[in-house]
Amino acid sequence: MGASTSHKNRRILVTGANGQLGKAIQAEAIGMDGISFIYTDYDQLDITQKDSIAAAINAFKPELIVNCAAYTAVDKAEDETELAFHLNAYAPGLLAELCKERDVKLIHISTDYVFDGASNQPYTETDRVNPLSVYGQSKQKGEELVMAAGNAMVIRTSWLYSAFGNNFLKTMIRYGSERSEIRVVFDQTGTPTLANDLAKVLLQIAKFTHIYFVPGIYHYSNQGVCSWYDFAYEIVSSLNLKARVIPITTNDYPAKAKRPQYSVLNKQKISNLLGVDIPHWRKSLMECIEQLQSTINP
Ligand SMILES: NC(=O)c1ccc[n+]([C@@H]2O[C@H](COP(=O)([O-])OP(=O)(O)OC[C@H]3O[C@@H](n4cnc5c(N)ncnc54)[C@H](OP(=O)(O)O)[C@@H]3O)[C@@H](O)[C@H]2O)c1
């Protein structure tokens, strides 16, 4: 369990900290004054185990827990329903109950896949949820249990990518360099989100909980709209990779889990709360590509 060494009063604990969002939080929190961070993954704090959660709360007395732990294998979840619900629903529910009992604030992350995609207008927080996949259903149940326990902000996000872990950006860079063509669906529309941008928002809330910690459901993604095809096209063309990007339909590329055709999120509520300008996905993509290039060619 990694905690910063200084003895500051305010303590924030991050679960699932070795995942993509957890790593983005670690990167963005560097140099942040006035807060001690405790970064845990499941071998230090297993969110499915009551004793493990209780021990961590007792040891570190965090003011806030940011739950980045999850089961995120969308297609695999179709065959691992029990495990997906265990991690994405019952464990966050348990975490939320313990947080409530011990007066610890909780931020829990959810997904655009709680929607069925039948809309053609950006989804607001009060729109009806109707997940199409086991992953989406497990995340939706998680939201419900976390909200029922109280004292929590649930932030739904979409299409996360970053310089960390495996994600669509990295896959497209690899395929774009190795293959002559890449076929990508153009009939699923949403918004890519740089995990670092979401991390900055989480850190703003963490830094000023007395102002910005307001329980409820929120949406956060980058600004703008595109299909997976457009996202891939932008990646391949901005890096001058050799592959040709070919648009295909979801029917041409059957996946185990059904995804929403349209899952753009309306971000007005969080932007009003935090007073932030949300970056456009293209701008954030360029930043992330530059970051990746500077690590390859420092
Ligand atoms: N990725 C996306 O495109 C996307 C889109 C919308 C919403 N979200 C949501 O955003 C959040 C962060 O996603 P992410 O991409 O950062 O996920 P991720 O990279 O899969 O990270 C999840 C982390 O949780 C850990 N974990 C698994 N079981 C655990 C347990 N029992 N206790 C503690 N930690 C455990 C995982 O460890 P192991 O890897 O060792 O199992 C992993 O380090 C999730 O809630 C996800 O549903 C993601």
Side-chain angles (χ1 to χ4, degrees):
M1 206 170 297
S4 67
T5 49
S6 58
H7 296 280
K8 292 163 184 162
N9 290 332
R10 305 197 52 238
R11 293 163 179 277
I12 310 293
L13 189 150
V14 181
T15 64
N18 291 341
Q20 176 172 212
L21 180 57
K23 288 205 173 128
I25 295 176
Q26 298 196 41
E28 294 302 326
I30 290 171
M32 211 170 139
D33 275 343
I35 299 180
S36 296
F37 288 92
I38 302 118
Y39 297 113
T40 67
D41 212 80
Y42 76 99
D43 43 349
Q44 299 106 4
L45 195 175
D46 181 344
I47 62 159
T48 64
Q49 302 300 319
K50 194 173 180 175
D51 291 351
S52 176
I53 303 170
I57 294 181
N58 287 343
F60 295 105
K61 302 192 171 32
E63 172 192 339
L64 169 74
I65 294 181
V66 181
N67 181 32
C68 299
Y71 179 104
T72 55
V74 177
D75 289 310
K76 221 169 149 199
E78 297 296 308
D79 296 322
E80 295 187 338
T81 308
E82 212 174 305
L83 186 57
F85 270 78
H86 196 49
L87 274 169
N88 289 341
Y90 308 123
L94 183 67
L95 183 63
E97 274 171 28
L98 290 182
C99 282
K100 173 75 176 169
E101 243 173 64
R102 287 151 201 249
D103 205 21
V104 178
K105 299 175 177 69
L106 174 67
I107 301 180
H108 174 68
I109 311 300
S110 192
T111 171
D112 56 330
Y113 283 12
V114 296
F115 295 115
D116 62 17
S119 180
N120 55 10
Q121 289 185 49
Y123 282 100
T124 68
E125 290 78 357
T126 52
D127 281 332
R128 189 177 72 97
V129 291
N130 183 29
L132 303 174
S133 61
V134 169
Y135 168 74
Q137 287 155 7
S138 68
K139 294 295 290 183
Q140 191 258 316
K141 185 71 186 170
E143 292 184 349
E144 205 180 292
L145 295 175
V146 166
M147 290 308 291
N151 214 27
M153 290 176 84
V154 170
I155 303 183
R156 293 182 184 137
T157 189
S158 63
W159 301 18
L160 279 186
Y161 71 94
S162 66
F164 312 106
N166 293 319
N167 54 57
F168 186 82
L169 166 64
K170 288 197 174 168
T171 306
M172 288 305 117
I173 295 177
R174 200 175 65 246
Y175 288 176
S177 334
E178 292 169 359
R179 300 180 178 189
S180 58
E181 55 178 55
I182 322 174
R183 295 151 61 80
V184 190
V185 294
F186 79 104
D187 56 355
Q188 287 171 31
T189 306
T191 314
T193 305
L194 178 58
N196 300 63
D197 290 342
L198 174 57
K200 285 179 193 155
V201 158
L202 298 172
L203 291 172
Q204 182 178 342
I205 300 170
K207 192 163 183 189
F208 304 105
T209 47
H210 57 295
I211 311 172
Y212 299 129
F213 186 85
V214 182
I217 298 183
Y218 296 84
H219 288 172
Y220 183 86
S221 68
N222 278 131
Q223 214 58 276
V225 173
C226 67
S227 69
W228 288 107
Y229 162 78
D230 297 304
F231 189 27
Y233 185 88
E234 195 70 19
I235 295 164
V236 168
S237 58
S238 51
L239 283 163
N240 279 321
L241 303 177
K242 65 174 186 185
R244 199 158 65 92
V245 187
I246 297 171
I248 58 165
T249 65
T250 302
N251 286 339
D252 294 330
Y253 184 78
K256 197 135 205 179
K258 208 168 171 201
R259 272 100 168 145
Q261 279 208 333
Y262 179 92
S263 63
V264 179
L265 300 174
N266 178 317
K267 276 86 62 181
Q268 201 57 52
K269 186 177 172 189
I270 204 156
S271 136
N272 290 347
L273 175 73
L274 303 179
V276 286
D277 269 338
I278 301 176
H280 192 277
W281 69 264
R282 274 203 183 86
K283 182 169 179 282
S284 293
L285 175 62
M286 290 312 131
E287 257 172 44
C288 188
I289 286 177
E290 274 166 31
Q291 194 196 337
L292 279 171
Q293 284 176 322
S294 67
T295 16
I296 299 163
N297 310 306

